Amino acid sequence: MTTTIATYTGVYGMPEAGSAIDLAWLIPVVPAVSAAVLLLIGKRLGRYAAHVAILAIGFSAVASTIAFTELLALPEEARSVISPVATWLEVGDFEVAWSILIDPLAAVMLLLVTWVGLLIHVYSIGYMEGDERYSRFFAYLNLFAASMLVLVLGDSFLTLFVGWELVGLSSYLLIGFWFEKRAYATAAKKAFVVNRIGDVGFMIAMFLVFSATGSLAFAEVLPMAPEIASGTAVAIGLLLLVAAAGKSAQIPLFVWLPDAMAGPTPVSALIHAATMVTAGVYLVARVSPIYATVPGVGLTVAWIGVATALLAALIACTQNDIKKILAYSTVSQLGYMFIGVGLGAQVAGVFHLLTHGFFKALLFLAAGSVMHAMADETNPWKMGGLRKVMPITFATSLLGWLAIAGLPPFSGFFSKEEILVAALDPPGAQGIWVIGTIVAGLTAFYMSRWFFLIFLGPKRYEQELPGVHPHESPPSMTLPLVLLAVGSAAGGLLNATPASLLRFWDPETSFLSSFLAPSVVPYYGDTPFIPHVPAVAIVTAVAVAGVAAAWALYLREGVDHVALRERLGGFYQLSYQRFYVDELYEATLERGGRGLANAFTTFDRVVVDGAVNGIGRGVAGLATVGRRVQTGYVRSYALAVAAGTVLLAAIFLGGLLNGQG
Amino acid sequence: MPVIPLTAQVQWSIPDIPWGAISPELVLFGTGILVLLLETAGPHRLRASALAFLAAAGGAAAGYGLTGEVTWPALLALAGLAQLALTATWRERPRVLSALLSALGIVATLGVVAWQWQTLAGGELLATQSGLADMVAVDGVALFTRVTVLLAALVSIPLGWSYLETRRIHRAEYYPLLLFAAVGMNLLASSQDLLMVFISLEVLSLALYILTGFAKRDLTSQEGALKYFLLGAFSSAILLYGIALSYGIAGTTNIPAVGAAVAAADTPAALAVIAMALLIVGFAFKTALVPFHMWTPDVYQGAPTPVTGFMAAATKAAAFAAFLRIFVGAMGASQWSWIPALWTLAAITMLVGAVLAVVQDDLKRMLGYSAVAHAGYAAIGLIAATREGVSGTLFYLLVYAVMSVGAFGVLSMLERRQRRAVSISDLAGFGKRFPVPAGMLSLFLLSLAGIPGTAGFMGKLAVFRAGVFAGQWVLVVIAVLSSMIAAFFYIRVIRAMFMDDEPDDLETFELEPTPGLSAGLAASAAIIVVLGVWPTVVIDLAEQAAAFAG
């Protein structure tokens, strides 16, 4: 067996002048300009607004593809290319160039973001038809794509962070797009706030990186990773994990994602499938040289991932909203990706990111198509039997369902198995494999439930929704579905060449593994493991069992669901009420924050006042002049000044007693 | 006995004043006087106008007779004549002219500052580093702060115009007071002597007290002015006490000499630290560091909104300049004592400011508390006590000035519409009806929140970076936490504007942005974006300023 896989070298080249890589800065700029144009004069463009937006993202997609082929033409060790655009900040010894980093990792992300983004743009033509803010919607879509592209192309922590924040901001705009409904605005705020918590982690990590290495550029920081003191590296790794957990909706920061469902369906597809939520996975993979020096932190990432996967899968089993189910399934699948990148199997993680990008976008768009037909109904119990009425949506959803359920030979099978296989070797990770296998069964179960309730069985909608006459969606919506279905079905081939169909996990023979290898530093060696084939068989069997269970519960006649729920009792409630996490956060964090604020206010307004009233008349002269006023007493303010002076003097004297510095 | 002329006998000693050192203040002050004279013009004010002319002419004559100088007495006489001519020709009180003249004066002052900068940065020093018998320093901190103060004043002139008109408080004293406040701030920023510090602080404070109470018929305005005045007097007294103690230690009020004396081994340490503590109180009051912040929300709420924007931004810049010169500059050797104290103040300032802003409902109060939090961020550079720190603080204050003037500018527009204070719920639907001003307010708020792509992010980056370099980890972490909390309330406003439904009972209203208002807001927004995307030039200037800090 030949092992000629290139490894991470830490060498970054320059692009050839005039090549697509050299001009790659246009990839985010064109959609950004288009967004600006649409915001300014979009209303006057009318329906042509969509064409402008699609042209812009189409340009990015084509440019990304050309850049990708150029990258393929380069020798393996020279595939990390930095293309300087402009000097952004130059202050003394602190210099941040605005450069673009294209390497295999960025290239596959580019392809995913631009092509899936393009399909979602096309789909939106039909979906947003007749909306009064048609052009505004496309402007936001463009803006979002541009932000994500800035993130992916960033060559330093700082430029990546700019994209990171812009993505958060534009997702805030997109989720809140239909802001007439209050819940949407609240969901948008929640998404923003949770993401800010993650951003704090990112910022502090960034400062740590800077103080440890004196630079923020990946080309300088990552090669120096082994020299970073291990304590600092642990801190950086954990802080970046917080950041990634915020963006990628992992425990404990996953609460925003299901609520973000409130946005229009194409937005759900764009955010939950192709772009924003994958940013955290991308970040962890991007800084893999740092995680490689502290594998224990990587193991933490993986455990967080598997815990999230389990929790979200359990919740997804009982939800009665076709978009909510998909949202929790996204959280769960992101957990799988975290297992992959956390265990040092970054290729597997990114592979799953890609296949998930296909099938989750497909499923969301299919859900949108169903809602389009059902007058925006989201309860699957009111659907059923849509197979005949919506044949294209049905057929494409079938492929998406098979892919996410992890049944061979569809794409999800390959990527999921590759991740789980990676959990077999490292010490302390076998538990991850066990839980991950259970999650695979749960995934197959809830996705089958989703699929069966919508498309198979009796036509419940005839009684439940009397006025609704479902119909297939227009071609602009079904075409993206078909293309994504092809990706969902065949995406597994990305990392499985004909020669390797039986040994698809072997990095030597697969395309993605050898292509991505120069970008990432795997840890936990890739020693061949003995029970791989049995392990794969077990996982697949569990998945099949999940499908069978769903069939038994939801397709057989005569199952009394109400009785079943009652028999499950607390377990059902726990899952249905989403383990009360939202309530828990509300009770602790929100109220706690309010309480803190109230305490401060009380201090400002009452304690000081009361103290003045109690202590007496020291500043009474002021008080008589100030008199009672609208909001507070001058004397209490004066007392605060006096108290502050004493406090300051005390600090000074304390420092003095502690020895002079 | 030969008859000796009187002048020769008395021996007028004219001190050799290096006018160049305070030339910006002279220009600004001159403009103020001119505008004040101008305001006496008008057909109904013949008497006042004649008096003013006589005063000007008399001053000119006396000046010529005593010094033999020709230039400035001639200018003064000319001004008097011009004013007399205006009185005869002008029908109404010349407010447009006053505003224009004030703006021109500020622009001219900016020109003089640029000239100073050129001379200073070119290596060719203006006489010495300090002038006026060591009273005034000519260094980067002073020059950069002047730019900040002048920019804030310049932008608030067009922003304030229509607000003052609508509220019927567009009175004669407004522009001169604004200019005099700016003179005080500029002098404070360049003071090299504690007495000079005190005098300039009083100059700016007195002007601001009056400006705060400018809306005579508005009770909150009166209340704010009175509170500001009383507490200002209180803190001035504490500052003065600190100056007295410093004098006791050093035998001089010259700042570098005081710094050296404080660090000297034979100085009683307890005395030295108490002196420092009292000095800090004086400046902490002006910069609104917790717990010396309590006046801010009341005063910011009461003051006419354009004044608030100017006050929040420019006072902070000037007081921080004094902070930098006295503590980082002169007392650098005694860092061990004052860094922990300022550290504590900055930490609680950032937290308390952010948390209290969250619970505010009145927009002006909210911005007031947010101003408190921002003072804490700016203080990080001060506490870092390094060159990066100084430049970071200078840059941050400039950025904050623009954001704050802009945000308060939009607010003044809204108040005009409502004729009363604006609460967050009043903003519901504002974004849908008036997307451009709402978008601008959003931009300012995002910048205050420190979102990348805006100047606020760059400012935070600059001070946080300085803090990290100086090893002030915990403080930076607190700052990051505080800015996270702060994001809540900025977002709350943006959400209200764009996502909440307009209340049904809202009466229809018109929003007529005057050209001045539009220009001022557009300029502020442009600066925010430009500094957010390409801040290098200005950060470079701040670095340069920090390099030749005294």
Side-chain angles (χ1 to χ4, degrees):
Chain A
M1 199 186 294
T2 51
T3 35
T4 50
I5 283 206
T7 49
Y8 179 74
T9 54
V11 178
Y12 294 84
M14 296 279 281
E16 226 174 284
S19 64
I21 295 177
D22 190 34
L23 298 172
W25 56 273
L26 283 170
I27 294 175
V29 165
V30 168
V33 169
S34 155
V37 168
L38 289 181
L39 279 177
L40 288 176
I41 59 164
K43 277 224 174 98
R44 259 171 269 163
L45 291 175
R47 294 185 43 80
Y48 293 105
H51 300 159
V52 173
I54 287 169
L55 265 182
I57 186 77
F59 167 87
S60 298
V62 172
S64 304
T65 314
I66 299 175
F68 176 73
T69 51
E70 280 183 7
L71 207 61
L72 273 182
L74 291 173
E76 275 188 354
E77 64 280 359
R79 282 184 187 163
S80 295
V81 184
I82 287 186
S83 154
V85 180
T87 308
W88 183 26
L89 273 179
E90 193 181 356
V91 180
D93 53 343
F94 180 65
E95 195 184 318
V96 177
W98 193 281
S99 304
I100 274 176
L101 166 63
I102 292 197
D103 67 346
L105 180 60
V108 294
M109 288 294 289
L110 273 186
L111 288 181
L112 178 76
V113 172
T114 53
W115 283 106
V116 174
L118 174 63
L119 292 180
I120 293 169
H121 274 67
V122 172
Y123 177 91
S124 304
I125 299 179
Y127 191 82
M128 297 305 288
E129 177 99 61
D131 193 283
E132 55 182 293
R133 287 186 307 273
Y134 191 73
S135 65
R136 180 87 63 88
F137 181 79
F138 279 95
Y140 287 165
L141 275 188
N142 265 182
L143 181 67
F144 188 83
S147 313
M148 191 66 200
L149 291 168
V150 168
L151 190 159
V152 169
L153 288 171
D155 82 311
S156 73
F157 281 96
L158 196 62
T159 41
L160 195 152
F161 184 64
V162 170
W164 186 270
E165 288 277 82
L166 288 177
V167 164
L169 194 65
S170 36
S171 79
Y172 175 70
L173 293 173
L174 272 173
I175 298 170
F177 182 71
W178 282 339
F179 42 67
E180 282 83 1
K181 299 187 187 162
R182 195 166 184 83
Y184 290 8
T186 314
K189 193 183 71 168
K190 198 170 186 178
F192 190 82
V193 165
V194 171
N195 274 296
R196 284 296 285 184
I197 295 176
D199 295 345
V200 173
F202 199 127
M203 281 184 91
I204 300 174
M206 205 154 65
F207 292 130
L208 266 177
V209 166
F210 188 68
S211 67
T213 65
S215 172
L216 286 175
F218 291 133
E220 287 165 31
V221 173
L222 296 184
M224 281 168 74
E227 297 153 36
I228 298 176
S230 68
T232 316
V234 168
I236 295 173
L238 289 176
L239 287 165
L240 288 178
L241 172 60
V242 172
K247 263 298 175 274
S248 290
Q250 298 293 294
I251 289 175
L253 299 177
F254 67 94
V255 288
W256 66 272
L257 191 92
D259 284 12
M261 293 285 73
T265 309
V267 172
S268 309
L270 190 59
I271 291 179
H272 296 138
T275 53
M276 179 169 172
V277 293
T278 59
V281 182
Y282 173 74
L283 176 69
V284 175
R286 170 58 78 206
V287 299
S288 60
I290 296 179
Y291 279 102
T293 62
V294 280
V297 179
L299 201 60
T300 315
V301 174
W303 272 106
I304 295 233
V306 77
T308 313
L310 180 65
L311 184 76
L314 283 173
I315 295 174
C317 287
T318 58
Q319 298 304 306
N320 289 329
D321 177 319
I322 57 174
K323 281 178 79 180
K324 277 255 157 79
I325 296 172
L326 291 179
Y328 280 105
S329 125
T330 303
V331 175
S332 177
Q333 298 297 312
L334 286 164
Y336 272 126
M337 296 174 214
F338 266 63
I339 300 174
V341 292
L343 290 178
Q346 290 95 353
V347 173
V350 173
F351 183 23
H352 196 56
L353 191 161
L354 295 176
T355 57
H356 176 260
F358 294 136
F359 60 69
K360 190 48 68 63
L362 166 64
L363 291 169
F364 265 118
L365 295 185
S369 174
V370 169
M371 285 163 59
H372 200 66
M374 305 291 284
D376 282 337
E377 180 57 52
T378 56
N379 186 347
W381 290 100
K382 296 184 181 172
M383 298 174 183
L386 286 176
R387 177 168 59 102
K388 291 258 170 62
V389 194
M390 308 181 71
I392 303 178
T393 308
F394 164 73
T396 51
S397 299
L398 175 74
L399 290 173
W401 162 58
L402 291 170
I404 192 173
L407 298 179
F410 301 99
S411 62
F413 166 75
F414 292 98
S415 51
K416 194 183 292 182
E417 294 296 348
E418 210 170 299
I419 287 173
L420 286 176
V421 155
L424 283 169
D425 295 335
Q430 280 75 15
I432 294 178
W433 183 84
V434 174
I435 301 176
T437 304
I438 298 172
V439 174
L442 289 171
T443 308
F445 173 78
Y446 68 72
M447 281 316 297
S448 305
R449 175 177 178 265
W450 183 88
F451 182 73
F452 295 162
L453 286 179
I454 295 176
F455 292 105
L456 305 179
K459 296 181 175 178
R460 287 181 301 271
Y461 61 85
E462 285 173 351
Q463 283 145 30
E464 300 275 353
L465 304 166
V468 169
H469 303 286
H471 51 85
E472 186 55 278
S473 299
S476 69
M477 287 168 71
T478 47
L479 179 72
L481 288 180
V482 171
L483 291 174
L484 285 170
V486 172
S488 306
L493 296 179
L494 275 179
N495 207 21
T497 56
S500 73
L501 271 180
L502 288 177
R503 298 186 52 80
F504 55 86
W505 55 82
D506 254 0
E508 287 79 8
T509 47
S510 54
F511 163 71
L512 204 60
S513 303
S514 56
F515 181 64
L516 283 178
S519 286
V520 293
V521 178
Y523 35 104
Y524 294 131
D526 48 354
T527 43
F529 40 89
I530 314 217
H532 278 182
V533 176
V536 169
I538 292 171
V539 177
T540 311
V542 170
V544 171
V547 175
W551 179 82
L553 278 176
Y554 300 105
L555 281 188
R556 263 186 329 144
E557 298 283 325
V559 179
D560 186 351
H561 288 281
V562 179
L564 187 70
R565 278 171 208 164
E566 269 167 22
R567 198 153 1 125
L568 283 171
F571 292 112
Y572 177 82
Q573 279 305 319
L574 209 55
S575 163
Y576 185 67
Q577 300 294 347
R578 304 176 302 275
F579 290 86
Y580 298 98
V581 175
D582 280 292
E583 286 77 5
L584 182 76
Y585 282 0
E586 184 159 337
T588 53
L589 296 182
E590 280 193 46
R591 297 227 184 113
R594 281 267 148 201
L596 186 67
N598 287 341
F600 278 134
T601 316
T602 312
F603 178 78
D604 250 31
R605 299 274 174 250
V606 180
V607 176
V608 180
D609 257 5
V612 169
N613 293 335
I615 298 169
R617 315 291 165 200
V619 274
L622 287 180
T624 47
V625 187
R627 296 262 302 165
R628 210 195 105 82
V629 280
Q630 184 202 343
T631 44
Y633 297 95
V634 170
R635 56 184 176 185
S636 53
Y637 297 177
L639 183 79
V641 172
T645 312
V646 173
L647 169 82
L648 264 187
I651 296 172
F652 268 112
L653 290 174
L656 192 62
L657 292 177
N658 277 333
Q660 312 189 349
Chain B
M1 246 173 112
V3 179
I4 300 166
L6 189 69
T7 45
Q9 271 180 347
V10 181
Q11 278 296 326
W12 291 90
S13 74
I14 307 291
D16 182 28
I17 299 173
W19 295 108
I22 53 164
S23 47
E25 283 67 51
L26 290 179
V27 175
L28 207 55
F29 183 70
T31 313
I33 295 288
L34 210 61
V35 175
L36 200 57
L37 281 177
L38 195 65
E39 289 291 356
T40 61
H44 305 299
R45 304 185 156 210
L46 262 182
R47 210 178 304 159
S49 158
L51 254 172
F53 171 71
L54 280 181
Y64 177 69
L66 291 177
T67 62
E69 288 253 3
V70 182
T71 333
W72 68 265
L75 281 177
L76 194 59
L78 215 60
L81 276 176
Q83 189 256 350
L84 206 58
L86 266 172
T87 311
T89 55
W90 212 276
R91 289 282 122 215
E92 290 171 32
R93 275 155 58 203
R95 281 180 295 222
V96 186
L97 199 61
S98 308
L100 265 181
L101 206 60
S102 310
L104 277 179
I106 293 173
V107 172
T109 313
L110 274 171
V112 176
V113 172
W115 163 70
Q116 277 189 324
W117 194 301
Q118 201 58 40
T119 332
L120 204 54
E124 202 186 316
L125 296 180
L126 286 166
T128 49
Q129 279 277 38
S130 50
L132 283 179
D134 270 354
M135 280 286 176
V136 171
V138 184
D139 60 10
V141 173
L143 293 184
F144 199 89
T145 308
R146 277 178 184 146
V147 174
T148 307
V149 169
L150 292 171
L151 266 185
L154 185 60
V155 179
S156 42
I157 289 177
L159 289 186
W161 171 270
S162 44
Y163 177 88
L164 296 170
E165 285 285 308
T166 316
R167 287 195 69 180
R168 295 170 191 282
I169 48 172
H170 207 160
R171 284 195 307 277
E173 312 84 60
Y174 181 75
Y175 296 105
L177 281 172
L178 196 71
L179 293 175
F180 293 152
V183 168
M185 290 164 185
N186 281 351
L187 278 180
L188 179 59
S190 45
S191 297
Q192 178 83 324
D193 189 287
L194 289 175
L195 278 181
M196 192 70 186
V197 166
F198 185 73
I199 292 168
S200 42
L201 202 67
E202 288 306 299
V203 169
L204 81 92
S205 299
L206 285 172
L208 287 181
Y209 300 149
I210 306 172
L211 280 175
T212 304
F214 211 66
K216 266 199 294 197
R217 285 177 212 90
D218 182 357
L219 262 181
T220 42
S221 180
Q222 295 308 302
E223 177 197 326
L226 191 60
K227 277 184 179 169
Y228 195 19
F229 171 68
L230 289 172
L231 293 169
F234 190 41
S235 70
S236 285
I238 295 176
L239 177 73
L240 202 55
Y241 195 37
I243 294 177
L245 283 184
S246 308
Y247 183 76
I249 296 164
T252 168
T253 48
N254 181 275
I255 289 174
V258 169
V262 163
D266 55 347
T267 307
L271 198 61
V273 294
I274 296 291
M276 279 191 271
L278 297 180
L279 289 179
I280 288 181
V281 172
F283 300 122
F285 179 81
K286 284 289 167 215
T287 50
L289 294 176
V290 176
F292 309 105
H293 71 290
M294 307 198 67
W295 57 276
T296 24
D298 291 346
V299 172
Y300 283 13
Q301 190 185 23
T305 311
V307 175
T308 312
F310 172 71
M311 194 160 67
T315 316
K316 227 169 239 130
F320 263 111
F323 249 142
L324 289 173
R325 178 163 299 106
I326 296 177
F327 286 93
V328 180
M331 300 195 180
S334 319
Q335 276 185 11
W336 60 269
S337 61
W338 57 264
I339 283 189
L342 276 177
W343 193 100
T344 316
L345 289 190
I348 54 176
T349 300
M350 290 186 282
L351 289 178
V352 170
V355 171
L356 281 180
V358 174
V359 293
Q360 299 305 317
D361 198 44
D362 183 299
L363 214 54
K364 248 168 128 182
R365 285 186 85 82
M366 188 207 86
L367 285 176
Y369 278 113
S370 122
V372 171
H374 281 276
Y377 306 141
I380 296 175
L382 170 68
I383 292 158
T386 55
R387 227 179 94 177
E388 280 103 13
V390 174
S391 77
T393 297
L394 289 176
F395 179 70
Y396 195 88
L397 289 166
L398 176 69
V399 169
Y400 177 72
V402 180
M403 309 187 278
S404 148
V405 170
F408 280 110
V410 179
L411 210 57
S412 70
M413 193 167 163
L414 281 166
E415 281 179 354
R416 225 152 60 77
R417 145 196 160 182
Q418 303 229 335
R419 312 234 166 185
R420 62 180 169 85
V422 180
S423 72
I424 290 178
S425 51
D426 289 336
L427 285 176
F430 179 55
K432 276 183 233 172
R433 209 176 267 228
F434 303 104
V436 174
M440 279 184 176
L441 183 56
S442 307
L443 179 70
F444 298 132
L445 292 176
L446 289 177
S447 180
L448 285 167
I451 302 291
T454 59
F457 173 71
M458 288 297 157
K460 284 216 172 78
L461 193 69
V463 285
F464 290 0
R465 184 174 73 95
V468 169
F469 264 166
Q472 297 292 356
W473 270 103
V474 183
L475 197 62
V476 173
V477 170
I478 293 175
V480 172
L481 279 177
S482 154
S483 44
M484 188 201 90
I485 300 173
F488 276 94
F489 53 78
Y490 299 124
I491 290 308
R492 203 154 70 105
V493 177
I494 297 177
R495 184 186 66 149
M497 287 196 296
F498 286 100
M499 300 193 178
D500 286 358
D501 289 328
E502 216 165 61
D504 297 328
D505 56 342
L506 190 73
E507 53 196 280
T508 50
F509 55 84
E510 294 297 313
L511 207 59
E512 310 140 8
T514 57
L517 194 64
S518 313
L521 287 180
S524 310
I527 295 176
I528 294 292
V529 173
V530 168
L531 286 186
V533 178
W534 200 58
T536 308
V537 175
V538 181
I539 290 190
D540 257 354
L541 282 183
E543 285 273 305
Q544 236 183 64
F548 55 85

